[in-house]
Amino acid sequence: MPGAAAFFDLDKTIIAKSSTLAFSKPFQAGGLISRRAVLRSAYAQFMYLVGGADHDQMEKMRQFMSQLCAGWDVATVRDIVAETLHEIVDPLVYSEAVELIEAHQLAGREVVIVSTSGTEVVEPIGAMLGVDRVVATRLAEEDGRYTGEIEYYAYAEEKANAIRELARDRGWDLAQCYGYSDSVTDAPMLEAVGHPHAVNPDKDLRRIAEERHWPVLVFTRPVALRGGVRAAVRPTVAALAVGGALAAGGLWWNARRRDLT
């Protein structure tokens, strides 16, 4: 059993958007939501990308999504996600995140996605990325349909609670664990581990990271995952060794690999 793990937020940490809102158009095509709801989702996505997500914004998004999905057929949602997963998510994945996932697993650490998005979206993305475990929000179901209520909300301090519980169950030393997130709402999650990292941080998390001397990482490069995580990582890492500025990137990555191992 590994003695440590790496915990990753999903939205704007591993992928460039809100994973749930990214599926708005396929949900419309599948007859689950109206064009007006798609436009509302697009606006919410824009505000999320521009302004980040503080507690008030996350509460508004929680209410919007729980009301939106009330009455949806659970099997239909899962089928739409499965059918459109690569089309929707592939262009959004940060290759830097894929490289970190690979590095942690090669170093013998389990990788866990801890996300406020729903399990219906997060679990397939986690499987696509080859992570070991997923912690995500669970929507209440009744007779095969969503009720509009939230059974388990993986948010803020609850993420930290989930991490501590997993650590107890798995025998992980939290002081040796790593954490990655973009949002100040995940400060409790990052504080729970010995190696916190701010990824593309919002202004409040950046301020906390600077005050506490947490590393700040900037992820920008997309990667195609159809060949699997390892197949996608190899050419990306090799490319870092080519050419002037890219060679500097290669030196940065080698330093990060040594730090991880």
Side-chain angles (χ1 to χ4, degrees), residues 113-239:
I113 292 178
V114 187
S115 176
T116 304
S117 293
T119 56
E120 296 77 7
V121 170
V122 181
E123 287 181 351
I125 293 175
M128 184 180 75
L129 292 167
V131 305
D132 300 285
R133 296 171 184 274
V134 161
V135 175
T137 293
R138 294 191 303 272
L139 302 179
E141 304 173 19
E142 186 174 323
D143 298 326
R145 295 185 179 275
Y146 295 115
T147 66
E149 301 297 322
I150 293 180
E151 186 176 279
Y152 171 76
Y153 193 34
Y155 172 68
E157 185 62 39
E158 185 54 41
K159 284 191 176 185
N161 293 337
I163 285 173
R164 286 189 283 264
E165 184 175 346
L166 271 175
R168 286 194 297 269
D169 292 345
R170 299 291 295 165
W172 295 331
D173 179 0
L174 283 174
Q176 300 302 317
C177 289
Y178 291 71
Y180 302 89
S181 181
D182 70 288
S183 174
V184 68
T185 62
D186 284 341
M189 162 182 158
L190 296 178
E191 291 166 348
V193 300
H195 301 281
H197 295 73
V199 178
N200 298 342
D202 58 33
K203 66 179 186 302
D204 291 328
L205 181 59
R206 182 178 292 276
R207 175 180 53 78
I208 291 173
E210 291 172 351
E211 290 174 354
R212 303 184 186 183
H213 306 289
W214 293 350
V216 175
L217 307 180
V218 178
F219 292 175
T220 59
R221 292 180 284 121
V223 63
L225 296 178
R226 289 188 182 275
V229 172
R230 282 176 166 76
V233 167
R234 288 193 188 102
T236 306
V237 175

Side-chain angles (χ1 to χ4, degrees), residues 69-150:
C69 72
W72 286 5
D73 182 78
V74 175
T76 299
V77 171
R78 291 174 178 163
D79 287 345
I80 291 172
V81 171
E83 291 168 4
T84 62
L85 182 65
H86 283 285
E87 175 188 348
I88 296 298
V89 176
D90 261 19
L92 304 179
V93 178
Y94 290 124
S95 60
E96 296 95 337
V98 174
E99 292 168 10
L100 275 174
I101 289 170
E102 169 83 349
H104 280 297
Q105 290 177 327
L106 288 175
R109 301 183 192 94
E110 289 195 24
V111 173
V112 184
I113 292 178
V114 187
S115 176
T116 304
S117 293
T119 56
E120 296 77 7
V121 170
V122 181
E123 287 181 351
I125 293 175
M128 184 180 75
L129 292 167
V131 305
D132 300 285
R133 296 171 184 274
V134 161
V135 175
T137 293
R138 294 191 303 272
L139 302 179
E141 304 173 19
E142 186 174 323
D143 298 326
R145 295 185 179 275
Y146 295 115
T147 66
E149 301 297 322
I150 293 180

Side-chain angles (χ1 to χ4, degrees), residues 9-24 27 41-42 44-49 53 58 61 64-65 88-89 92 94 115-118 121-122 125 182:
D9 178 43
L10 179 60
D11 300 347
K12 294 179 71 176
T13 301
I14 294 177
I15 65 174
K17 293 184 179 182
S18 161
S19 52
T20 300
L21 295 178
F23 284 89
S24 296
F27 288 160
S41 295
Q45 185 77 262
F46 172 75
M47 296 303 294
Y48 178 66
L49 291 173
M58 288 298 294
M61 188 175 293
F64 170 64
M65 294 308 300
I88 296 298
V89 176
L92 304 179
Y94 290 124
S115 176
T116 304
S117 293
V121 170
V122 181
I125 293 175
D182 70 288

